Amino acid sequence: MIKLAHFTETNQATLVQFMQNNAFAIVTAMGHPYPVATHIPLEVIQQADGSILLTGHIMRKTDHHRAFENNPHVLVIFNGPHTYISSSWYNNLVTASTWNYMTVHARGIIHFLDEAATLEAVKSITEKYEGHHNKASFQHIPQQDVQAMLKGIVAFEIKVEALSNVFKLSQNRDEPSQLKIIEALNKRGDENSRLIATEMSNRLNKTS
């Protein structure tokens, strides 16, 4: 990641909210002979003492499961909106185009949990997305299906030891250029462009 002060978000509450809003993350670790990466929905929990806990579940006895068991030091990547930024939108045109994006990297230790905790993890994430009054709610899943599922998956928690991030939103450009970028992104109209434009606008409004 590009580590520059003006592209770094320093408010932990903002980072936690970003992680919760982009909770389909990538969990990576060193495998053999190559690194492994698992794309998975996570629960992002801000604890009372200020620490951050990530929870989820994966399939048992896979290359990823074995890699995480052999090396519990993991990197979790949370990706947000991203979009191309044309240098034609700058006041100073003698410079390169670029890409704006938002991402958070969490480093920590993964711990695998027992069957009871795995059941609770499945219940928690199902209720998060299905609620309690849907045909697909956890309470409506047949017990035999739940028990069969538990044989093939295992829950985990990751205690986050360090966070790093890049919120690259043209902060290094003058305000007129930023306003032109926002206007151009809104005209482009795709979701990523719109989200980056909104984030840029919000930050400009806070500083004005």
Side-chain angles (χ1 to χ4, degrees):
M1 291 197 303
I2 300 171
K3 290 299 296 176
L4 296 173
H6 48 260
F7 294 150
T8 301
E9 174 58 56
T10 58
N11 187 310
Q12 179 166 303
T14 299
L15 297 179
V16 170
Q17 186 66 62
F18 176 87
M19 294 160 70
Q20 291 171 339
N21 291 343
N22 298 277
F24 189 71
I26 305 171
V27 184
T28 71
M30 289 304 300
H32 181 75
Y34 298 108
V36 297
T38 296
H39 300 249
I40 191 169
L42 298 175
E43 296 269 18
V44 180
I45 304 166
Q46 176 82 70
Q47 303 194 103
D49 63 358
S51 62
I52 301 169
L53 191 68
L54 311 177
T55 65
H57 61 274
I58 61 172
M59 291 184 64
R60 291 181 180 272
K61 299 180 180 179
T62 61
D63 291 345
H64 296 184
H65 184 200
R66 287 187 285 270
F68 297 147
E69 285 187 316
N70 292 333
N71 183 358
H73 295 82
V74 298
L75 169 66
V76 186
I77 302 171
F78 297 85
N79 283 318
H82 59 90
T83 193
Y84 179 74
I85 304 296
S86 171
S87 62
S88 66
W89 303 337
Y90 302 156
N91 280 346
N92 176 14
L93 300 183
V94 188
T95 186
S97 299
T98 190
W99 207 275
N100 277 4
Y101 65 98
M102 303 172 73
T103 187
V104 172
H105 288 191
R107 292 173 174 81
I109 308 297
I110 191 169
H111 300 275
F112 288 101
L113 308 176
D114 61 19
E115 185 174 290
T118 299
L119 176 62
E120 185 58 35
V122 173
K123 179 181 177 182
S124 176
I125 201 161
T126 303
E127 290 180 345
K128 176 180 179 179
Y129 292 105
E130 293 290 350
H132 298 276
H133 306 291
N134 189 302
K135 291 181 180 179
S137 298
F138 184 82
Q139 61 183 332
H140 298 307
I141 302 175
Q143 275 300 306
Q144 63 267 27
D145 291 347
V146 172
Q147 293 305 313
M149 180 171 50
L150 290 176
K151 294 177 181 178
I153 63 175
V154 59
F156 62 82
E157 63 180 23
I158 299 169
K159 296 181 178 179
V160 176
E161 297 189 337
L163 284 180
S164 56
N165 71 88
V166 174
F167 281 22
K168 186 171 179 291
L169 299 163
S170 301
Q171 299 96 321
N172 57 327
R173 299 296 166 193
D174 57 83
E175 184 170 328
S177 291
Q178 291 187 51
L179 291 171
K180 288 174 67 177
I181 293 169
I182 292 167
E183 180 182 9
L185 291 176
N186 281 324
K187 285 181 179 177
R188 186 189 284 164
D190 63 277
E191 183 177 12
N192 275 314
S193 296
R194 180 180 57 79
L195 290 171
I196 291 292
T198 298
E199 188 66 32
M200 290 179 64
S201 294
N202 290 342
R203 287 168 181 264
L204 275 180
N205 290 337
K206 286 180 182 178
T207 58
S208 61

